[in-house]
Amino acid sequence: MSPKILCLFDVDGTLTKPRNSISPKLEEFLQTKLKPVCTLGIVGGSDFKKIAEQMNGDDMIHKYDYVFSENGLVWFKKGKEAGRQSIQKFMGEEKLQTFINFVLKYLSDIVLPVKRGTFVEFRAGMLNISPIGRSCSQQERDAFEEYDKKHKIREHMIEALKKQFPDIGFTYSIGGQISFDVFPTGWDKTYCLRYLEVEGFDEIHFFGDKTDPGGNDFEIFMDKRVIGHKVTSPLDTQKQLEVLFKL
């Protein structure tokens, strides 16, 4: 019998350019070439709405056997919602609000070339913190990414949060161009594996671009339950799949 294989994909930088939609060419490849030889899954840090936008619509839950949004806090199996957890229920409002208040005060003291809106985005499984604000334009995103590489705005902010809240039980993960995620320790992308372990796969292959320490793909990339593949772009993802499965 052929081995039962799952290919599990990050979204930003792996299947799409950051915050862009998947290309028709890559989507056709996944659905017509790859799907006949393995099971397809997606795990992203964003909420389902954002992932669906990037994957060309809500019907993605019927195209991919498993869809894990917010690292698996909200997930779908074969087109139906299968589970849901929330950071608010887990952490409690008082602790969350103390943390958010400090974040907003810290951000108010940062001077950047530009600032826009939505600096703290509350999701079911995490807080997404963006020093520039998530409502910035693509051009402003690109500019902040380069500015951050030089001045390490996100890295310094994470260091300050760790110092202020040493025992809060949060993990910090930089991903994408303009933000970083904050979530309870253990609620990284490995969270979704608790559901996949019982599905009887012989191999789980994970593809992601932020696989270095501190990146939001690092923990699952290093997990012994998966075979990790570091990619540099959606095009590289397709090339690696073609080689791996001889397509």
Side-chain angles (χ1 to χ4, degrees):
M1 292 178 63
S2 298
K4 189 178 179 184
I5 297 174
L6 169 67
C7 283
L8 185 63
F9 299 96
D10 165 53
V11 182
D12 269 6
T14 301
L15 293 182
T16 76
K17 294 179 180 179
R19 291 301 301 135
N20 278 241
S21 297
I22 187 171
S23 70
K25 182 179 178 181
L26 180 55
E27 183 171 38
E28 181 182 10
F29 170 80
L30 294 175
Q31 297 300 320
T32 63
K33 300 291 186 181
L34 187 63
K35 195 169 187 178
V37 299
C38 69
T39 302
L40 303 184
I42 289 175
V43 56
S46 297
D47 60 30
F48 176 74
K49 181 181 178 181
K50 287 189 176 66
I51 293 176
E53 287 174 357
Q54 291 181 260
M55 300 304 294
N56 293 332
D58 291 359
D59 65 339
M60 65 170 293
I61 61 175
H62 302 290
K63 296 178 181 178
Y64 300 87
D65 301 276
Y66 300 89
V67 176
F68 298 98
S69 61
E70 304 185 54
N71 292 346
L73 274 294
V74 180
W75 70 289
F76 301 82
K77 177 181 177 181
K78 299 189 184 301
K80 295 182 179 180
E81 184 176 315
R84 183 179 291 265
Q85 173 62 287
S86 77
I87 188 174
Q88 184 177 10
K89 184 167 61 176
F90 184 79
M91 297 296 294
E93 181 63 32
E94 183 178 352
K95 188 179 289 188
L96 273 178
Q97 198 164 137
T98 300
F99 183 85
I100 291 171
N101 286 345
F102 180 85
V103 166
L104 294 173
K105 184 177 186 302
Y106 183 97
L107 289 174
S108 71
D109 292 330
I110 293 178
V111 177
L112 298 173
V114 300
K115 275 187 180 179
R116 296 301 176 248
T118 313
F119 302 100
V120 180
E121 185 173 81
F122 190 89
R123 301 175 181 173
M126 68 180 69
L127 302 175
N128 179 266
I129 298 171
S130 174
I132 186 178
R134 295 192 65 87
S135 61
C136 59
S137 68
Q138 186 61 54
Q139 183 179 4
E140 289 164 343
R141 280 174 167 270
D142 296 340
F144 175 81
E145 183 179 29
E146 293 305 313
Y147 186 86
D148 188 51
K149 286 178 181 177
K150 181 178 180 180
H151 299 282
K152 300 188 182 304
I153 301 299
R154 290 181 288 181
E155 285 187 31
H156 292 325
M157 186 172 182
I158 288 172
E159 289 171 6
L161 290 169
K162 287 180 176 178
K163 183 177 180 180
Q164 181 70 21
F165 301 99
D167 303 315
I168 197 170
F170 277 151
T171 293
Y172 306 86
S173 182
I174 294 175
Q177 296 179 289
I178 62 168
S179 65
F180 63 92
D181 297 330
V182 182
F183 48 84
T185 300
W187 283 24
D188 49 64
K189 286 180 180 173
T190 61
Y191 192 91
C192 73
L193 297 179
R194 65 186 63 195
Y195 305 118
L196 294 172
E197 279 185 297
V198 299
E199 296 293 288
F201 290 106
D202 298 312
E203 297 176 3
I204 298 176
H205 292 260
F206 171 76
F207 297 81
D209 66 315
K210 295 291 192 299
T211 59
D212 295 328
N216 62 0
D217 297 323
F218 175 72
E219 290 84 2
I220 191 169
F221 176 77
M222 297 297 295
D223 197 285
K224 294 180 180 179
R225 291 168 289 181
V226 310
I227 301 168
H229 303 267
K230 179 180 178 60
V231 302
T232 58
S233 67
L235 181 60
D236 184 43
T237 299
Q238 181 171 337
K239 288 181 178 179
Q240 290 197 35
L241 289 166
E242 288 172 342
V243 172
L244 182 64
F245 293 102
K246 298 179 173 61
L247 299 174

